[in-house]
Amino acid sequence: MNTTKTIQSALISVFDKDGLEPIVRKLHDHNVTIYSTGGTEDFIKNLGIPVVPVEDVTSYPSILGGRVKTLHPKIFGGILNRQDHEGDVQQMKEYEIPQIDLVIVDLYPFEKTVASGAGEADIIEKIDIGGISLIRAAAKNFKDTVIVASVNEYALFLDMITNGNGATTLEERRLLATKAFHVSSHYDGAIFNYFNTDETIYKASVADGQILRYGENPHQKGYFFGDFDAMFTKVHGKELSYNNLLDVDAAVNLMNEFKNDDPTFAILKHNNACGLATRKTMKEAYLDALAGDPTSAFGGVLIANGKIDEAAAEEINKLFCEVVIAPSYDEKAIAILEEKKNRIILIQNDVELPTKQVRTCLNGMLIQDKDNITDNKELLKTVTITAPTEQEIEDLLFASKICKHTKSNTIVFAKNKQLCASGTGQTSRVDALRQAVEKANSFHFDLNGAVMASDAFFPFPDCVELAKNAGITAVIQPGGSIKDELSINYCNENKVAMVFTGVRHFKH
């Protein structure tokens, strides 16, 4: 059975006409009868190519301000008829329904209209009715009908009919139908999400998929769905891996906490900060971040909250690192960083990030609001006799920002806006604290006068006792344990300042 079909008739009704002209001319070259409506009809006429108004087929004009143009049995019969079905063939003749072999549609820009901040009346008018119906009909009948459902498919379709001399194969029609159902489902999802206020219903459609080299490990397939190019300008380096993207995500979320601060630099490894410092220059910030854990920094992801200049780049270039991220760079800084062939250099653009976090869980998924609370001075409640100094308050808030973006259970030590050490991902808070003490000592940090942040409360005073013995003079934690008084009493007896925030920052 020959499944290749030559296009003899086409219905074209599109919003976006960029790239349409060569298709129309190619169809005309193959003597295809073209039906059209409204602006698309005028566009084709202006090319000097014959076009049949849909009104001539339906005997109805475009009505209701253009809301109804193609919704008619003669149009949908022409699209949906089964050419190998005797009953359909007879009814086509009986009702004088013209065959339509090709449908080209580009829907009203609903998502762009919403994103523009337009009023609801304008948004509602951008809900396409006829177009979406044409897409579904033609895609359903892909065995006989070709569907081009978006301006994004114009070039693909032009190649098909050019190579096929005006004909398409069943495989090509099925491919275009698949793309069409993606267009229609994505469009419907966007409309639903605009109207939806029920948070127990979740619909998402992400069109920009990218195949990665592999997933977390080489034996796992990996994909990224999102508009990476909108968020970053990639200046140099190899393709990002699955693990690179996870680290970049962690780096961006962490650095957002310091977006408006003095020059701040962070180094991350396996989604956790192993170094972070705020200083007067980016070079100083980098060097003091590196001092936090120069061993773990090897192969890490680096991020700055401001321009990376030549002086900072010269220091960074001495370290093997996977990725460097900043909102801008000096030209000389880029030239220096490009000396390493595979080093990925990203310019971070200012784009809005999702407000929800989504992850698979069991046979479904978990969705939550992002942790968008940043501990600040107004949240702090001093619960001890000894109050923190202004310098300690600055360091406490600094440590809290890092703690919020570190795997639980976690403890963070900081001093003079420098990360001294952290205990990350431990099964007990005491273990996290011991790990932080050991790490700080191994890199020769003097913890006397340093502060400590915890992502959750202390059920016993053992943590504050260990911290005090290590030199910690002030503590920030959410509070909320039924045994808070035990920790408070220990701090009072040993002149340690402690503040509660009332906000827990678990990160599992």
Side-chain angles (χ1 to χ4, degrees):
M1 180 180 176
N2 183 12
T3 58
T4 298
K5 290 186 177 289
T6 299
I7 297 169
Q8 297 181 348
S9 58
L11 170 62
I12 307 176
S13 180
V14 302
F15 182 86
D16 194 332
K17 299 166 186 65
D18 290 342
L20 183 63
E21 180 179 345
I23 293 176
V24 173
R25 294 195 182 281
K26 179 66 69 175
L27 294 174
H28 179 60
D29 290 343
H30 286 281
N31 299 312
V32 174
T33 300
I34 299 176
Y35 303 96
S36 191
T37 64
T40 308
E41 180 187 338
D42 292 339
F43 174 84
I44 297 170
K45 283 180 180 177
N46 290 335
L47 296 176
I49 292 173
V51 57
V52 179
V54 165
E55 291 93 327
D56 289 359
V57 177
T58 65
S59 300
Y60 271 89
S62 172
I63 62 173
L64 306 182
R67 281 189 166 197
V68 180
K69 295 188 285 285
T70 58
L71 294 168
H72 193 279
K74 283 198 172 184
I75 298 300
F76 282 86
I79 295 169
L80 281 164
N81 73 93
R82 295 158 290 184
Q83 294 176 19
D84 60 355
H85 189 281
E86 186 176 343
D88 286 6
V89 173
Q90 289 299 321
Q91 287 191 324
M92 292 285 285
K93 292 178 181 178
E94 179 182 356
Y95 297 110
E96 298 180 341
I97 299 173
Q99 180 68 44
I100 298 176
D101 302 315
L102 164 68
V103 176
I104 302 178
V105 176
D106 184 67
L107 299 171
Y108 293 156
F110 178 82
E111 287 181 281
K112 287 183 179 178
T113 305
V114 172
S116 73
E120 181 154 285
D122 290 333
I123 290 171
I124 297 303
E125 287 307 309
K126 289 299 184 291
I127 298 176
D128 207 311
I129 304 301
I132 203 78
S133 302
L134 292 169
I135 288 173
R136 291 184 191 281
K140 175 178 179 175
N141 202 33
F142 70 90
K143 287 186 178 180
D144 292 319
T145 310
V146 184
I147 175 62
V148 179
S150 166
V151 63
N152 298 325
E153 314 308 334
Y154 288 0
L156 172 63
F157 173 68
L158 182 60
D159 285 343
M160 285 180 180
I161 57 173
T162 300
N163 297 331
N165 196 30
T168 61
T169 66
L170 179 62
E171 290 75 18
E172 288 172 334
R173 294 193 297 277
R174 187 182 185 93
L175 172 63
L176 288 170
T178 303
K179 291 179 178 292
F181 283 124
H182 166 65
V183 168
S184 65
S185 63
H186 181 84
Y187 196 77
D188 286 343
I191 294 169
F192 170 79
N193 286 330
Y194 172 75
F195 282 99
N196 182 41
T197 57
D198 185 348
E199 293 187 351
T200 66
I201 302 174
Y202 177 75
K203 293 184 186 294
S205 175
V206 186
D208 305 305
Q210 176 185 347
I211 299 174
L212 304 174
R213 294 197 303 272
Y214 52 80
E216 205 162 5
N217 299 291
H219 63 277
Q220 296 169 266
K221 292 181 179 179
Y223 311 88
F224 172 70
F225 291 90
D227 192 353
F228 185 85
D229 292 338
M231 187 160 183
F232 298 101
T233 301
K234 184 181 170 192
V235 177
H236 179 76
K238 62 184 180 180
E239 292 302 312
L240 280 87
S241 69
Y242 183 98
N243 291 333
N244 286 154
L245 289 167
L246 285 175
D247 283 331
V248 168
D249 176 69
V252 167
N253 284 307
L254 171 61
M255 194 52 71
N256 277 346
E257 303 283 351
F258 301 90
K259 193 172 183 178
N260 300 314
D261 291 6
D262 289 337
T264 301
F265 208 102
I267 304 172
L268 288 89
K269 197 73 173 287
H270 298 293
N271 304 164
N272 292 316
C274 58
L276 197 151
T278 298
R279 293 293 181 261
K280 291 183 178 180
T281 69
M282 200 59 75
K283 175 184 174 180
E284 292 173 313
Y286 167 72
L287 289 173
D288 283 351
L290 179 64
D293 187 345
T295 302
S296 295
F298 183 87
V301 168
L302 282 58
I303 187 167
N305 72 342
K307 179 183 285 187
I308 293 181
D309 56 21
E310 180 182 4
E314 285 177 346
E315 295 297 333
I316 294 168
N317 203 36
K318 298 173 185 177
L319 175 73
F320 168 73
C321 59
E322 290 274 346
V323 186
V324 182
I325 309 165
S328 61
Y329 301 78
D330 284 347
E331 285 187 21
K332 289 184 178 179
I334 289 179
I336 292 167
L337 295 173
E338 285 180 338
E339 290 176 7
K340 300 293 192 299
K341 181 177 70 173
N342 290 326
R343 179 184 285 148
I344 299 164
I345 304 172
L346 300 176
I347 297 173
Q348 183 180 343
N349 304 317
D350 191 12
V351 300
E352 187 175 344
L353 294 174
T355 58
K356 303 282 187 184
Q357 290 180 314
V358 183
R359 64 194 296 184
T360 58
C361 180
L362 302 176
N363 62 347
M365 61 179 67
L366 288 170
I367 302 172
Q368 67 171 354
D369 295 333
K370 272 194 170 181
D371 182 357
N372 58 7
I373 294 178
T374 298
D375 294 338
N376 57 60
K377 196 171 181 180
E378 287 68 37
L379 282 176
L380 303 185
K381 177 185 177 183
T382 301
V383 294
T384 50
I385 296 169
T386 301
T389 65
E390 284 301 312
Q391 178 62 54
E392 285 175 333
I393 288 174
E394 285 192 14
D395 282 341
L396 287 168
L397 294 173
F398 176 91
S400 172
K401 292 177 181 180
I402 301 171
C403 192
K404 171 182 168 182
H405 293 275
T406 306
K407 291 286 186 180
S408 300
N409 285 315
T410 186
I411 291 290
V412 169
F413 294 152
K415 186 176 181 180
N416 298 324
K417 292 188 177 179
Q418 179 184 22
L419 172 61
C420 300
S422 59
T424 65
Q426 298 303 303
T427 53
S428 82
R429 201 156 303 280
V430 173
D431 285 346
L433 198 151
R434 286 173 176 152
Q435 182 190 56
V437 171
E438 183 179 345
K439 198 167 186 179
N441 290 336
S442 70
F443 292 112
H444 309 294
F445 278 101
D446 180 7
L447 292 179
N448 287 303
V451 305
M452 177 175 77
S454 172
D455 61 342
F457 60 64
F458 302 121
F460 302 103
D462 47 3
C463 282
V464 287
E465 182 178 356
L466 287 167
K468 167 65 171 63
N469 291 338
I472 299 299
T473 57
V475 178
I476 185 170
Q477 59 134 318
S481 170
I482 59 173
K483 297 183 178 179
D484 276 342
E485 287 301 319
L486 297 178
S487 296
I488 293 171
N489 291 340
Y490 179 88
C491 288
N492 284 334
E493 291 166 4
N494 292 273
K495 297 182 180 179
V496 174
M498 186 157 64
V499 297
F500 285 2
T501 64
V503 179
R504 191 182 72 185
H505 291 296
F506 271 157
K507 185 186 177 192
H508 286 93

